[in-house]
């Protein structure tokens, strides 16, 4: 693959386990994403059985008859396929709403690898290229990671990276603003400890911004390891003290913390936020980034509107700035 391809994440439509379960709802979202100028969709691995029909290969097959059945629906909606799957190893798939496995536990590596391969093989059938993974737990759970724990994570993800590569899928580690990797330069240390041929970085602009890190600077530092980009904006910062709050996933991310922040993430626009998208796009061009850029707005109250506004911004502002990174196909940007 050459150039940049623009995709859109479905997570903003999927706000509750019973809110996005019908084929008709899926098709309306697919068509909105297509007409907004995107060529693929990103899925999130979930373990709620039929209440998350796009959450696993099994549930996709149950609803659409097969993985190819979903691929055909996407094609009928003028989309190339699925760009990527986001997999959190702490979620288990042996049973509905099951408990997963900690990548720090050496005994968990075979199970994590097997689940990752399950998603990677499905992703390949759906036309995708990147398995995006949560590399470790939250800062409040582990504190800063010492060298031994960084080495344990590296062993896990090198193993997974080699396994999914056999299916033609790249592995990319996703940093979130509550991650233990925000402490003591953990992300850079983990990237240094992993094989660059097997393990890359999924750069989520808003997650870094909320963590108080400039995503442009992060990309400049790790450009040779970036395999996937998730593009969204943010307007509030969470410092290390807040990130170390017990049960921060619930108290900070879900409930907004002591400030009661109602919404952490926003669609990429020029309306003002923490992310300088135009500088980011220029940086991509300088480093000749190739791959998927998946636009997100996972807390939007108006998913279709957010997709269309984002599509306009991509087509008219960001895509021209990134065009030096490679030849953009008509289907990748606006089909125009």
């Amino acid at each position: 693959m050459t150039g940049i391809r623009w995709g859109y994440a479905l997570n903003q439509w999927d706000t509750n386990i019973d809110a996005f379960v019908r084929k008709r709802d899926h098709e309306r979202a697919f068509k909105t994403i297509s007409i907004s100028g995107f060529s693929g969709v990103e899925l999130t691995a979930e373990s709620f059985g039929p209440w998350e029909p796009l959450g696993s290969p099994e549930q996709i097959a149950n609803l659409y008859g097969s993985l190819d059945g979903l691929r055909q629906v996407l094609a009928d909606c003028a989309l190339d396929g699925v760009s990527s799957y986001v997999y959190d190893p702490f979620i288990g798939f042996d049973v509905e709403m099951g408990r997963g496995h900690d990548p720090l536990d050496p005994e968990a590596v075979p199970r994590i690898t097997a689940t990752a391969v399950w998603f990677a093989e499905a992703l390949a059938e759906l036309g995708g290229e990147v398995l995006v993974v949560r590399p470790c737990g939250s800062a409040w759970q582990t504190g800063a990671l010492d060298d031994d724990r960084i080495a344990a994570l590296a062993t896990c993800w090198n193993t997974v990276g080699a396994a999914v590569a056999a299916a033609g899928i790249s592995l990319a580690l996703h940093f979130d603003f509550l991650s233990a990797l925000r402490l003591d330069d953990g992300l850079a240390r983990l990237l240094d400890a992993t094989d660059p041929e097997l393990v890359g970085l999924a750069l989520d602009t808003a997650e870094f911004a909320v963590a108080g890190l400039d995503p442009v600077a992060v990309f400049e530092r790790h450009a040779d390891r970036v395999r996937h980009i998730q593009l969204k904006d943010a307007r509030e910062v969470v410092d290390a003290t807040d990130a170390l709050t017990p049960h921060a996933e619930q108290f900070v991310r879900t409930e907004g913390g002591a400030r009661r922040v109602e919404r952490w993430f926003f669609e990429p626009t020029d309306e003002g936020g923490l992310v300088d998208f135009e500088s980011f796009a220029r940086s991509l061009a300088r480093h000749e980034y190739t791959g998927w850029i998946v636009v997100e707005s996972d807390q939007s109250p108006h998913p279709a509107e957010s997709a269309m506004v984002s599509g306009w911004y991509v087509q008219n502002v960001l895509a021209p700035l990134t065009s030096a990174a490679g030849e953009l196909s008509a289907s990748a940007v606006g089909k125009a």
Side-chain angles (χ1 to χ4, degrees), residues 75-97:
D76 291 343
C77 295
L79 292 169
D80 293 342
V82 174
S83 62
S84 38
Y85 233 128
V86 180
Y87 162 53
D88 180 349
F90 291 91
I91 296 174
F93 292 88
D94 294 336
V95 296
E96 189 174 321
M97 299 178 66

Side-chain angles (χ1 to χ4, degrees), residues 4-318:
I4 288 174
R5 303 176 75 187
W6 296 88
Y8 204 85
L10 283 172
N11 51 13
Q12 71 183 54
W13 272 273
D14 193 7
T15 55
N16 268 304
I17 62 171
D18 61 348
F20 195 59
V21 298
R22 297 183 301 171
K23 286 184 179 180
R24 183 186 179 199
D25 294 333
H26 298 169
E27 291 178 21
R28 290 173 69 90
F30 297 157
K31 290 173 182 177
T32 300
I33 289 167
S34 175
I35 200 64
S36 299
F38 301 98
S39 61
V41 296
E42 182 171 87
L43 306 181
T44 300
E46 299 285 0
S47 182
F48 291 108
W51 297 110
E52 288 287 356
L54 299 176
S56 74
E58 178 184 13
Q59 295 305 324
I60 291 172
N62 286 344
L63 183 63
Y64 286 94
S66 66
L67 295 173
D68 188 62
L70 173 60
R71 183 79 183 270
Q72 186 58 55
V73 170
L74 291 167
D76 291 343
C77 295
L79 292 169
D80 293 342
V82 174
S83 62
S84 38
Y85 233 128
V86 180
Y87 162 53
D88 180 349
F90 291 91
I91 296 174
F93 292 88
D94 294 336
V95 296
E96 189 174 321
M97 299 178 66
R99 183 180 178 87
H101 305 279
D102 188 341
L104 285 170
D105 178 6
E107 295 185 1
V109 173
R111 300 297 297 275
I112 292 172
T113 303
T115 304
V117 168
W118 184 44
F119 279 102
E121 290 176 346
L123 185 56
E125 288 192 50
L126 292 166
E129 298 171 12
V130 184
L131 183 66
V132 179
V133 298
R134 182 187 181 196
C136 66
S138 297
W140 74 269
Q141 296 171 305
T142 66
L145 300 173
D146 59 23
D147 290 343
D148 287 342
R149 290 192 288 179
I150 289 289
L153 290 177
T155 297
C156 175
W157 296 118
N158 281 336
T159 302
V160 173
V164 301
I169 298 299
S170 297
L171 183 75
L173 308 181
H174 178 269
F175 173 98
D176 69 85
F177 70 80
L178 296 176
S179 174
L181 295 177
R182 65 176 290 157
L183 305 174
D184 288 1
D185 209 22
L187 176 62
R189 291 164 55 221
L190 179 55
L191 289 174
D192 287 344
T194 51
D195 185 340
E197 296 298 318
L198 301 175
V199 180
L201 174 64
L203 197 161
D204 185 319
T205 54
E207 296 279 2
F208 280 104
V210 177
L213 300 169
D214 177 5
V216 178
V218 173
F219 180 76
E220 290 284 344
R221 183 180 182 185
H222 299 297
D224 61 334
R225 298 296 295 274
V226 175
R227 301 290 178 269
H228 189 70
I229 291 170
Q230 294 169 323
L231 205 68
K232 59 179 180 280
D233 207 355
R235 298 176 187 173
E236 302 283 348
V237 173
V238 169
D239 62 21
T241 300
D242 287 340
L244 289 167
T245 302
H247 307 288
E249 293 89 354
Q250 179 64 33
F251 179 66
V252 178
R253 183 181 282 271
T254 301
E255 298 178 7
R259 290 171 288 166
R260 294 293 184 261
V261 175
E262 293 185 2
R263 183 179 174 187
W264 291 109
F265 303 127
F266 298 81
E267 57 273 4
T269 66
D270 58 0
E271 296 173 1
L274 298 178
V275 180
D276 185 342
F277 291 106
E278 294 182 32
S279 292
F280 188 76
R282 293 187 185 98
S283 182
L284 297 181
R286 283 196 303 274
H287 289 276
E288 299 184 342
Y289 172 78
T290 61
W292 282 98
I293 301 177
V294 174
V295 175
E296 290 188 279
S297 180
D298 34 336
Q299 294 178 312
S300 173
H302 306 292
E305 178 182 339
S306 290
M308 289 185 282
V309 169
S310 298
W312 184 94
Y313 190 55
V314 166
Q315 294 172 55
N316 292 281
V317 180
L318 299 184

